[in-house]
Each structure stands twice: as C-alpha cells, then as structure tokens.
Amino acid sequence: MTIHVTWQAASQATITQLSNGSAQWTADMGAASGGAPGAPDPHELLDSALGACTSLTLQLYARRRSYPLESIRVEITHEEEGGVYHMKRHITLGGPLDDAARADLLRVAEKCPVHKTLSGQFEIKTDLVV
C-alpha cells in the first residue's frame, strides 16, 4: 500500500492531504506552530496508529475467543527525551471479563501489528523524484 501526501501553496494553508487510494484524511502542523487546530499533527497520527491497531486487534481476538467484551478505550501519550520517543498506552476494557480474559487481552495488545512495528527497528530510504 502507498500513502500519497500532497500540499499546494495555492491553498494558503499548511494543511496536507493524505490518501491511500480509497480513504482520504488530513494532517497539519500543531496549532502552536500555525497549523489548523482541527487537523492532527504527524505525531498524533503516529500515536493514533498504535491506538487504532490496539483496539482493532482486541476486538477481533475477543470475538474469536467469545469474550464478553463490551467496550475498549485506548489512550496514547508520548514524551520525547534524549532522542527517544516514549509512548504510553492505557487500555480500559468494558464488560464482564474475568481476570484470565483481561490478562489474555493485555497479552494480545502487546502483539498488535503496529506495536510490533514500533518496537522494532526502522529503516527509511528517501529519494527525490525530479
């Protein structure tokens, strides 16, 4: 999959358009840097990827295991310190789940695909197309 990111000076704004070919969304600089307050900044998009993946992974797993999961709330915070991006994930599960089910769901949350990706090493190659 390819994510397409575009910006046009004619818009007279910093907001950036993003698309994967079928869905479209936007991003901008943080409001403190002059961006639109209604659009997420790139760090919020990164953090939201972990939160979304966690929720979706838990939904699928709970359904397969027939756990009585009624709701999921995932909160992601981050701090940058010493060149390290520290993410903190708080998960709240609703429903009549026993301790074993909750422990199992926590184990599965640690294995969501975005968590695995963010916990691994990254390599980014960039080229300039003329």
Side-chain angles (χ1 to χ4, degrees):
M1 172 184 28
T2 300
I3 301 296
H4 302 275
V5 182
T6 58
W7 171 80
Q8 298 292 323
S11 71
Q12 298 188 2
T14 56
I15 200 155
T16 300
Q17 306 299 318
L18 300 102
S19 172
N20 65 0
S22 59
Q24 299 177 2
W25 62 102
T26 61
D28 204 346
M29 293 187 263
S33 299
D41 70 36
H43 285 113
E44 291 168 331
L45 291 173
L46 176 64
D47 296 355
S48 67
L50 176 61
C53 187
T54 300
S55 176
L56 294 167
T57 299
L58 291 175
Q59 289 174 49
L60 291 172
Y61 186 78
R63 190 174 303 134
R64 271 188 253 147
R65 297 294 301 237
S66 298
Y67 287 150
L69 180 63
E70 295 174 356
S71 64
I72 301 168
R73 180 178 175 92
V74 181
E75 295 178 5
I76 307 292
T77 58
H78 76 264
E79 293 178 3
E80 294 181 62
E81 182 181 325
V84 178
Y85 195 89
H86 299 273
M87 297 176 92
K88 179 74 175 174
R89 176 174 53 183
H90 300 276
I91 302 171
T92 305
L93 304 174
L97 299 162
D98 61 24
D99 290 343
R102 289 180 181 279
D104 195 26
L105 289 166
L106 176 59
R107 179 189 62 80
V108 169
E110 297 289 318
K111 295 182 178 188
C112 88
V114 172
H115 180 113
K116 286 182 183 179
T117 299
L118 292 172
S119 297
Q121 293 187 2
F122 282 82
E123 180 180 316
I124 301 171
K125 295 180 179 181
T126 304
D127 62 357
L128 183 61
V129 180
V130 181

